[in-house]
Every structure is written in structure tokens, then in C-alpha cells.
Amino acid sequence: MSERVLVKGNEALAEAAIRAGCRHFFGYPITPQTEVAAYMARKMPKIGGTYLQAESEVAAINMVYGAAAAGVRVMTSSSSPGISLKSEGISYLAGSDLPCLIINVQRGGPGLGGIQPSQADYWQATRAPGHGDLHVLVYAPNNVQEMVNLVFQAYDKAEEYRVPAMILADGLLGQMMEPVSFPEEGEIKQHDKSWAVTGHKNQRKHNIVNSLYLKADELEQTVIERFQRYAKIEAEETMVEEYLMEDAEYAIVAFGATSRIAKAAIQQLREQGLKVGLIRPITLWPFPKQAIIDACDKVKGFLTVEMSMGQMVDDVRLAVNGRKPVEFFGHTGGIVPTPAEIVEAVKEMGGAK
Amino acid sequence: MKELENKRVVVLGHYGSGKTNFAVNLALQRRAAGAEVALCDLDIVNPYFRSADFAERMQQEGIEMVSPPFAGSNVDVPALTGRLDALLANPDRQVIVDVGGDDAGAIAVGRYARKLLPQEPTVLYIVSACRPVTDTPQAALEILREIEYASHVKATHIVNCTNLGKETTAQTVRDSLEYIDELCRISGLPLCCHAVRSDLAEQLKDIDRVLPVEIFVKVPWDI
């Protein structure tokens, strides 16, 4: 680890990607993620990398497809409306078993929405980042150092399982500054890339990267095999943080920036004698079901807090499966919940009001 | 630090260097010293964490807050207000201009350069040695040149805002002194001050030109 520096979340994502070996960035500017592209534009030419501002998000994601097919570490970043434009390409990447890193620094939606922070792309990221039967790995950091660490993790796991990975951040995390340490270059795990289209030089068979299957049974078999890999990811790659859950009577479930606010609320609640803990999914897909299931035995109820109308709450309810009440509190459209509001919402659940 | 009493103070720098927090402090300190102050948020690039966030506090203190009409709203319209033109015509007001980061943000000052320059403004270049893009004096000078090219104004002084957020200690500031000396040397600019969190000022009293500041720029879970 190198010295401490003070960075914006967006810069941290860009610098971490470079240190993780990414030398190819294709994007299109959009608030509140523009610093990712700006940082790449400044840095990539100095280190022999490629920064390319494409003519659109659709073009950018297809450039990612091309670079990923060649087996190099590649990244694109955008914010909510731009990710919608990229969704066709994400599906093609998933259908072609290509690893890559996609950043979504979420803003308010739907439509053009607004530029303030949001978490309302949870459904999109975890259910349908593109058409067809597919998943992408989704990581949800809650601080700037974790943004750095999860970039390395995302590349590593994307290549291990040959799936696209996404970091689902939000405008607040993208814009805020915190001290971090970047790992040195060279701490990168190497994965087999014998599938990459790098020229056969008459020494091996053609490698073909493709998501089109002419026969239905062939396509079905390919998807079934891919889902076996997804099952392995679900079994082995789930990440979750539990905070003060040992004696908790109520559990708040929150991810990303909202989990920081939830922690501040939990401290206040504990000072008032209410035993409340936090379950923070770090991977959103795979969702940490088991942590929720285990908590069902000890808590009286769950409160999911999100910057949306309630999306992750679906996954919490699926895991709880009716065993305990699951409530939701949130704001949407760019409004950030306050610790005081979360304190009130927990008290209402407990009937302590 | 007579230069901070100039009726025209322009605050420039790399984004994330601490410009907004410094500008807010300067406005409050000058107001406390009796000056009639206007703080102008000229940031057309940064969506959050900006001077305009402190409009209410500024009003309470009797400081006029001038912001782009859409600052802090849900739209990305980099429009400026006509109010700054009026203020620059008023020789009695102290006008502090908080400019957006880098050359992209500094472009907005160019619009006012012709009015500002004859009034001999103090132009502060805010730097932090803990920011990766300005991690060497040479890199900081390169950014300054880009900003000057875009803004049509030249820096007159350096302000050291080196910090590591909540991890800042007196040592963080001490470690930056050599960097700042070198930046002053290669840029030919004098140091205005080392802006340090007020609780660290006592430990740094052996250093010349320490200006204690409060931390105003905060995240929603800081309570």
C-alpha cells in the first residue's frame, strides 16, 4: 500500500482501475460521474493507455466489447440514463462470456431525472442490466477506500468467472472525498485468457467471441452452463458486512451511501437504548440471502433503507419469506435520507413512538 | 495577510483542493472583521459540495451569497447570474469568488477577467499536496498554468490547503511544507497562508502564516 491521499470517489474508481491494469477506457460524459472520465483523459495518455470519448454510450459499450474480446482489462463508466443506453451491449458482453468493468454512479430517475444521488437502479443492476437470462456481478461500495478495493475485486472476479462486473455507486460516493491508500501495481492476479481473440498466428484454432446461436438447443445448453457458473458465484462470492448485529433486536438493511447514514442512525438509537444493527450487502448480485435468513432467528423485524421507492426491499422480503415483518423507508429523486428520519422509522417499527 | 483584505479575491485551484471550504471561511472571517462581503459561487462544473450549499448560513451572517441560478438543483445548467457584474462595479464591497475546479471550472472567470484585472484582484491558487493529480510541485504548477490559460487571470499567491479529511494531523501539514516551498519557488509566487483546521493551529504555531479554518463541507452522516 502506498501513502495516504485525499480523493473523490470518482477519481478513486479511475485510479484504482489503472492500478488494476486497465489501459482502455471508453465512455461518454454525464453528471455525476464525469470525474471518472476526466481523470482517465488526463492519465491514460501519460501511461500509454487509451482514453476515448465515444460518440455515444451505445458506441462506448461496444468498444468495451471489442477490447474485452481481446482479453485486456477495460472499463466504461456512466450514470443512470447512460447505463440504460449501455444495456444492449452489457447483454452482448454477458452472452459472449466477456469480463469487463462497468461503473454506474447513480443519479435520480426515471428518464433524464436529475443529477442528485440515487439508488434507484438496483432493479436494473440486479434484475435486468440487459435483455435475456443473465446476471452481472454487482458491487456496492460505501466508502472511497472500498471503491478502490472493489475495483480490484471486480476485475479479478469478472475474469475468474468470465462475466461483466458492475460497481453500483451513487452521486454522493462519487463526489465525496476521503483519504485512501492505493495498492501498488503488480498486485494483480492473472487469469487464463486463452479464449481471447488476439490472432491465432497459424498456431491454434480460431477463437470466436459471439452471442449468436443458430440452434435453439445450443443456445439453451450454453445458457444452462452459464447459470451453473452463476450458481458457483452465488455460493462463493457473496460479500456482506454486519454491524452491531450480535445483540440486535431490529436490523436495518442498507447498501452504499445509505448504509453510512444508517450507521449514524444506529449510533443514535443505541444511545437511546434501542438495540439495532445493520446488514450491509456489499455484493447486490449475488445478494447475501443467508445473512438475512440467519438474522430472522434473532430480530423482531427488518427496515430496509434506500434512496429509491424501495427496490432492494424485494430481495430482503424474498430472503425473509414472511418470517418477520419487513418495512421500507426511503427517499427518491435525489433526496438523501437523514439519520434522524431513519431513527424515527425504526422507532415506528418497534411501536416505541 | 493583507492580500486577503483586497476588495477582490478570486479562489482558484484543482478540484477537491479545498477551495470552497477556504472561500466560506474567508467570507466569514472577513465579515467578522467588519467587511461588507459577497461570496460568489462561480462553480459551473461541480454538482454537489459547493459554496451555494451554505447560502442560509451566509445570509444569517449578513454575507451576500451569489450563486448560479440552478446550483444544487436537479438540472445541469451552467448558467451564471448578472449579479456578479453589479458587485464588480461596487468598489466598497469585498467580493470573494469561489471558482470551479481545474481549467474546466476556471473558464467561467474568463467572462469577468476584463472587469477584474484593472481592479488588481488577489488571485489565490489553492493547493493540496495530498491530491494525487497535484502530488508534485511540478504537477501543481502544470494545473495552475492550465487554469490561468482558461481563466485569463494570473495567480498572485499560493494557499496551502493540504489535508487528508478526517485523518489530517499537524504532521500532514508539516509534511507539505517542503512541497509548498518548492511550488512557490518554481511558480515565483509568494505564499499567502497555510489554511489548517483550527484545532491543529496551536501545534503549528512555530510556522509562519498559519490561518486557522473551520470545516464546513460535510457529508450527510456527519452529525
Side-chain angles (χ1 to χ4, degrees):
Chain A
M1 289 286 191
S2 59
E3 58 178 335
R4 300 294 272 173
V5 288
L6 188 71
V7 294
K8 269 195 178 192
N10 283 338
E11 294 174 300
L13 291 166
E15 178 62 29
I18 289 170
R19 291 189 189 228
C22 171
R23 289 294 179 276
H24 302 276
F25 177 90
F26 306 103
Y28 190 82
I30 181 169
T31 307
Q33 70 77 52
T34 300
E35 292 86 359
V36 182
Y39 194 90
M40 287 298 197
R42 184 175 280 282
K43 220 46 192 295
M44 281 297 197
K46 291 182 180 166
I47 55 170
T50 306
Y51 164 84
L52 200 148
Q53 182 174 319
E55 68 269 37
S56 73
E57 286 88 346
V58 178
I61 194 72
N62 283 291
M63 292 171 186
V64 170
Y65 183 97
V72 297
R73 287 199 164 177
V74 56
M75 181 165 114
T76 188
S77 71
S78 193
S79 179
S80 310
I83 297 295
S84 293
L85 281 165
K86 285 177 176 160
S87 65
E88 183 202 38
I90 294 171
S91 176
Y92 278 56
L93 282 151
S96 304
D97 299 312
L98 291 175
C100 65
L101 179 56
I102 301 149
I103 307 286
N104 182 0
V105 183
Q106 298 168 88
R107 57 187 256 176
L112 206 45
I115 62 170
Q116 299 296 322
S118 164
Q119 296 179 317
D121 300 347
Y122 180 93
W123 281 335
Q124 182 191 48
T126 61
R127 298 297 194 278
H131 62 277
D133 284 315
L134 68 88
H135 286 294
V136 302
L137 266 167
V138 185
Y139 294 96
N142 86 340
N143 62 67
V144 180
Q145 182 68 58
E146 198 173 61
M147 290 170 109
V148 171
N149 301 347
L150 287 178
V151 164
F152 281 77
Q153 174 83 0
Y155 271 122
D156 184 37
K157 294 302 167 186
E159 289 181 352
E160 183 179 342
Y161 293 96
R162 291 185 61 186
V163 294
M166 176 181 279
I167 290 189
L168 193 68
D170 59 68
L172 189 50
L173 286 168
Q175 294 295 327
M176 63 180 277
M177 298 183 74
E178 282 182 328
V180 301
S181 299
F182 288 103
E184 296 297 338
E185 282 189 70
E187 296 171 23
I188 302 160
K189 252 187 251 171
Q190 298 298 324
H191 295 277
D192 169 46
K193 297 253 177 92
S194 59
W195 46 265
V197 284
T198 52
H200 58 73
K201 302 178 182 76
N202 288 322
Q203 283 169 1
R204 60 163 167 79
K205 287 206 330 188
H206 284 275
N207 282 342
I208 296 171
V209 170
N210 174 47
S211 67
L212 172 67
Y213 291 83
L214 298 181
K215 292 182 185 151
D217 59 346
E218 207 186 332
L219 176 55
E220 185 188 44
Q221 194 51 41
T222 306
V223 174
I224 287 171
E225 281 168 19
R226 192 174 293 128
F227 267 68
Q228 287 164 356
R229 255 185 298 143
Y230 290 162
K232 191 163 179 248
I233 293 173
E234 287 194 87
E236 293 180 12
E237 304 302 341
T238 303
M239 293 170 71
V240 62
E241 180 199 355
E242 295 193 8
Y243 173 71
L244 301 179
M245 280 300 294
E246 297 77 20
D247 62 343
E249 292 178 355
Y250 287 91
I252 296 177
V253 188
F255 69 98
T258 310
S259 66
R260 303 276 291 269
I261 306 165
K263 276 189 183 176
I266 287 167
Q267 281 162 15
Q268 289 182 13
L269 286 158
R270 292 238 163 205
E271 280 163 21
Q272 296 170 31
L274 285 145
K275 288 178 182 167
V276 183
L278 173 73
I279 299 173
R280 173 173 77 96
I282 300 172
T283 50
L284 302 182
W285 191 86
F287 185 75
K289 291 174 206 161
Q290 198 57 46
I292 305 286
I293 292 167
D294 293 347
C296 281
D297 295 334
K298 55 183 173 190
V299 301
K300 294 179 187 160
F302 296 84
L303 177 73
T304 304
V305 184
E306 302 172 61
M307 286 191 280
S308 72
M309 291 300 287
Q311 301 191 5
M312 182 179 68
V313 65
D314 289 358
D315 279 330
V316 177
R317 287 196 173 119
L318 282 169
V320 170
N321 204 13
R323 279 169 287 198
K324 291 284 159 70
V326 179
E327 302 289 337
F328 170 77
F329 175 78
H331 277 297
T332 197
I335 306 292
V336 179
T338 64
E341 287 176 320
I342 298 174
V343 165
E344 281 310 301
V346 171
K347 283 184 180 171
E348 274 179 38
M349 269 196 91
K353 231 190 146 184
Chain B
M1 295 161 216
K2 273 270 178 244
E3 59 272 19
L4 297 180
E5 293 167 25
N6 190 325
K7 289 282 192 262
R8 306 289 179 251
V9 180
V10 179
V11 181
L12 301 169
H14 176 44
Y15 68 81
S17 56
K19 293 180 300 299
T20 291
N21 200 67
F22 181 82
V24 169
N25 271 279
L26 181 60
L28 290 168
Q29 289 182 15
R30 292 298 303 142
R31 180 68 190 138
E36 290 291 327
V37 180
L39 173 63
C40 182
D41 176 345
L42 208 60
D43 194 337
I44 53 163
V45 287
N46 194 23
Y48 326 147
F49 302 117
R50 50 188 303 154
S51 285
D53 297 347
F54 308 99
E56 205 179 326
R57 171 81 195 267
M58 294 297 126
Q59 263 161 15
Q60 285 166 4
E61 302 287 342
I63 295 166
E64 179 178 349
M65 182 77 227
V66 181
S67 313
F70 297 100
S73 80
N74 238 341
V75 288
D76 221 351
V77 179
L80 299 171
T81 141
R83 182 66 187 141
L84 183 54
D85 286 287
L87 286 166
L88 292 179
N90 179 345
D92 301 325
R93 274 299 186 87
Q94 182 169 27
V95 182
I96 299 166
V97 185
D98 177 22
V99 182
D102 287 352
D103 48 342
I107 279 177
V109 187
R111 156 78 177 73
Y112 303 96
R114 216 175 284 179
K115 276 194 179 172
L116 267 169
L117 290 176
Q119 304 186 33
E120 298 182 347
T122 293
V123 181
L124 303 173
Y125 179 48
I126 310 286
V127 281
S128 168
C130 293
R131 298 276 297 136
V133 172
T134 56
D135 60 353
T136 64
Q138 290 73 22
L141 184 61
E142 190 186 317
I143 298 272
L144 173 61
R145 294 297 177 239
E146 290 172 12
I147 290 172
E148 289 178 333
Y149 184 76
S151 66
H152 299 252
V153 297
K154 290 213 179 302
T156 60
H157 296 79
I158 305 273
V159 172
N160 179 16
C161 273
T162 296
N163 76 93
L164 274 175
K166 287 188 178 150
E167 290 180 14
T168 312
T169 63
Q171 196 57 40
T172 313
V173 180
R174 283 192 196 281
D175 289 344
S176 71
L177 296 179
E178 202 178 312
Y179 166 105
I180 293 296
D181 279 351
E182 178 63 7
L183 178 59
C184 289
R185 191 186 68 78
I186 61 176
S187 66
L189 296 174
L191 177 74
C192 168
C193 59
H194 304 280
V196 304
R197 209 173 64 214
S198 55
D199 60 298
L200 301 175
E202 180 64 24
Q203 298 172 58
L204 295 164
K205 62 183 177 190
D206 55 305
I207 300 170
D208 280 345
R209 305 185 83 87
V210 165
L211 184 76
V213 295
E214 305 301 323
I215 306 302
F216 291 106
V217 179
K218 286 187 174 153
V219 284
W221 47 88
D222 283 340
I223 34 176

